[in-house]
């Protein structure tokens, strides 16, 4: 595709079946502190209430796996290194996706201008508003929701981003995909924190992606050892999904790994000043969690590292961040090396 999307699907706006599923998930409190998931009432499940006149949703897939991203997953087995979720190794995808969606909208607009004189209304979304992107993509025939709740495609795995265009243009719709998880439950078995509490049910409060990215406060003690060296996100459920053997390397130059983030040492990261953090991670999704949360996560990684004089010295060294939350995580980390 000229704009660099890997797949496009179109669906109507009927998410009635999804509404009950979503509300049950919220009612169980599985969204944790992600209050934005509970806000907006039914706007999340009724696209026309979010953007009036919406009749169709154009769903777009953009593969993100950079070259070497799978080879460097060995970092997970090396507890002196910092593991970062594969999607965050490159430039923040939001701008890349938004620009492409905007260009697609412009192309649609110009083709309509030439032929029909239709008043084309549209709005683009990239994980930026109450949009149920997995449910919409599933309905648009882009794949199915796996037991880990991510979208999964039979020919392309799950290493991709989704974006949407809400529009009043009555385009023909695609057929939803079938589910191919079958009897597999690999993702549930390998999840380090048992966050997939039942098929298609993730308790975000247990998920390492939530704990390291969304949760701003102290990480509950019960999860700290289980987090291992995952300092930003977690990919285990995707790494072990059999369908990901069909995933392809991204064609998008902006998704090349930046600053060697696929192979960095915990001790090095912990020694970064706030300026270094800002410089190295400018334009990265990681930048958004901020310096304190970054150090908090790395302190946990260092607590789970082998006990060496270097690890202990790193944890005892002065840090340019005197927040209570960081001090508490450092104290926990040092205690792990005193047994
Ligand atoms: S991202 Fe990690 S912690 Fe979250 S459900 Fe998947 S395997 Fe479990
Ligand atoms: S690991 Fe198995 S159960 Fe989980 S999403 Fe993949 S195919 Fe489905």
């Amino acid at each position: 595709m000229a704009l660099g999307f890997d797949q496009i699907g179109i669906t109507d706006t009927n998410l009635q079946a999804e509404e009950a599923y979503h509300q049950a998930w919220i009612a169980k409190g599985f969204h944790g502190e992600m209050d934005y998931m509970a806000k907006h009432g039914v706007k999340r499940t009724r696209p026309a209430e979010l953007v009036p006149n919406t009749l169709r949703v154009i769903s777009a897939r953009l593969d993100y796996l950079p070259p070497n991203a799978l080879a460097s997953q060995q970092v997970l087995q090396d507890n002196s290194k910092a593991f970062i979720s594969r999607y965050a190794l490159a430039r923040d995808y939001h701008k890349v996706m938004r620009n492409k969606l905007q260009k697609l909208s412009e192309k649609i607009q110009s083709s309509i201008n030439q032929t029909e004189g239709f008043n084309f209304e549209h709005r683009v979304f990239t994980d930026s508003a109450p949009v149920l992107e997995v449910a919409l993509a599933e309905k648009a025939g882009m794949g199915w929701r796996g037991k880990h709740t991510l979208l999964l495609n039979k020919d392309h795995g799950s290493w991709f981003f989704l974006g949407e265009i809400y529009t009043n243009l009555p385009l023909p719709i695609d057929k939803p995909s079938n589910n191919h998880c079958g009897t597999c439950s690999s993702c549930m078995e390998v999840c380090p924190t048992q966050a997939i509490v039942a098929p298609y049910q993730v308790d975000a409060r247990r998920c390492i992606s939530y704990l390291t990215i969304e949760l701003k406060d102290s990480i509950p003690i019960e999860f700290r050892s289980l987090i291992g060296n995952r300092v930003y996100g977690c990919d285990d459920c995707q790494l072990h999904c059999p369908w990901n053997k069909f995933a392809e390397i991204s064609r998008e130059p902006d998704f090349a790994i930046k600053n060697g983030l696929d192979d960095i040492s915990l001790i090095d990261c912990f020694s970064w000043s706030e300026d270094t953090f800002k410089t190295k991670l400018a334009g990265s999704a990681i930048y958004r969690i901020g310096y304190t949360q970054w150090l908090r996560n790395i302190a946990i990684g260092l607590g789970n590292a082998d006990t060496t004089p270097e690890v202990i010295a790193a944890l005892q060294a002065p840090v340019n961040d005197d927040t209570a939350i960081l001090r508490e995580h450092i104290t926990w980390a040092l205690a792990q090396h005193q047994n």
Side-chain angles (χ1 to χ4, degrees):
M1 276 168 227
L3 294 173
F5 286 122
D6 294 293
Q7 190 179 3
I8 294 284
I10 298 164
T11 180
D12 62 30
T13 58
N14 183 351
L15 290 173
Q16 212 173 351
E18 191 65 22
E19 198 161 289
Y21 172 87
H22 180 69
Q23 284 174 354
W25 186 74
I26 298 287
K28 287 178 188 154
F30 284 177
H31 60 301
E33 291 183 10
M34 295 185 286
D35 294 336
Y36 58 88
M37 296 298 288
K39 273 189 200 158
H40 306 290
V42 292
K43 282 186 179 164
R44 199 174 279 274
T45 47
R46 299 183 196 174
E49 295 204 13
L50 180 66
V51 182
N53 301 329
T54 298
L55 280 181
R56 296 287 183 265
V57 177
I58 302 171
S59 177
R61 191 189 102 222
L62 192 54
D63 295 342
Y64 64 71
L65 206 58
N68 201 40
L70 289 182
S72 59
Q73 67 178 283
Q74 300 145 352
V75 163
L76 254 187
Q77 321 308 329
D78 181 346
N79 67 15
S80 68
K81 301 267 175 77
F83 180 84
I84 291 169
S85 192
R86 305 295 82 181
Y87 85 84
L89 296 171
R91 186 180 164 198
D92 191 346
Y93 77 94
H94 290 87
K95 274 191 202 151
V96 179
M97 177 66 97
R98 176 168 286 274
N99 288 343
K100 287 183 190 294
L101 289 170
Q102 207 54 57
K103 281 190 186 138
L104 176 58
S105 303
E106 285 160 17
K107 276 188 182 287
I108 296 172
Q109 175 80 71
S110 61
S111 69
I112 290 170
N113 284 347
Q114 283 164 16
T115 55
E116 293 169 44
F118 178 80
N119 181 26
F120 174 55
E121 295 173 25
H122 70 279
R123 192 165 148 197
V124 306
F125 295 103
T126 53
D127 190 31
S128 53
V131 172
L132 287 183
E133 58 176 18
V134 170
L136 289 164
E138 186 173 32
K139 261 179 74 82
M142 312 269 282
W144 72 98
R145 187 203 309 266
K147 288 179 187 170
H148 50 21
T149 72
L150 302 170
L151 197 79
L152 194 51
N153 183 298
K154 210 163 153 247
D155 301 313
H156 307 283
S158 63
W159 304 106
F160 50 77
F161 299 122
L162 292 169
E164 300 77 28
I165 303 173
Y166 281 24
T167 179
N168 64 341
L169 188 64
L171 296 161
I173 59 175
D174 291 295
K175 273 208 241 157
S177 322
N178 294 324
N179 185 308
H180 296 277
C181 279
T183 56
C184 174
S185 55
S186 292
C187 52
M188 300 177 70
E189 287 150 22
V190 301
C191 175
T193 52
Q194 302 292 291
I196 310 173
V197 293
Y200 314 104
Q201 294 280 334
V202 171
D203 183 346
R205 296 167 302 182
R206 305 185 65 86
C207 174
I208 295 170
S209 288
Y210 167 82
L211 294 168
T212 55
I213 300 169
E214 303 287 346
L215 183 67
K216 307 296 169 214
D217 296 332
S218 178
I219 294 185
I221 301 276
E222 65 177 300
F223 299 123
R224 292 189 189 174
S225 300
L226 300 170
I227 286 173
N229 60 347
R230 298 168 188 82
V231 302
Y232 187 92
C234 168
D235 287 338
D236 289 39
C237 49
Q238 296 194 82
L239 288 169
H240 290 86
C241 177
W243 293 104
N244 265 333
K245 61 175 174 279
F246 300 116
E248 286 140 30
I249 298 300
S250 172
R251 296 177 291 133
E252 173 56 56
D254 272 330
F255 293 162
I257 297 170
K258 280 183 78 181
N259 289 324
L261 286 176
D262 60 333
D263 190 12
I264 47 174
S265 120
L266 287 164
I267 291 178
D268 281 354
C269 298
F270 204 58
S271 71
W272 290 356
S273 66
E274 186 162 6
D275 281 349
T276 307
F277 168 84
K278 287 182 173 167
T279 307
K280 285 201 184 271
L281 298 177
S284 152
I286 306 171
Y287 188 92
R288 291 191 282 151
I289 68 170
Y291 184 55
T292 301
Q293 206 174 314
W294 170 247
L295 292 178
R296 176 201 69 176
N297 295 348
I298 296 166
I300 290 185
L302 286 169
N304 294 325
D306 291 344
T307 303
T308 64
E310 292 77 16
V311 165
I312 293 175
L315 284 166
Q316 288 175 333
V319 184
N320 288 331
D321 184 292
D322 192 31
T323 51
I325 187 167
L326 182 58
R327 281 201 307 275
E328 183 256 309
H329 284 75
I330 292 174
T331 303
W332 174 86
L334 280 166
Q336 306 314 298
H337 297 289
Q338 283 163 6
N339 297 325

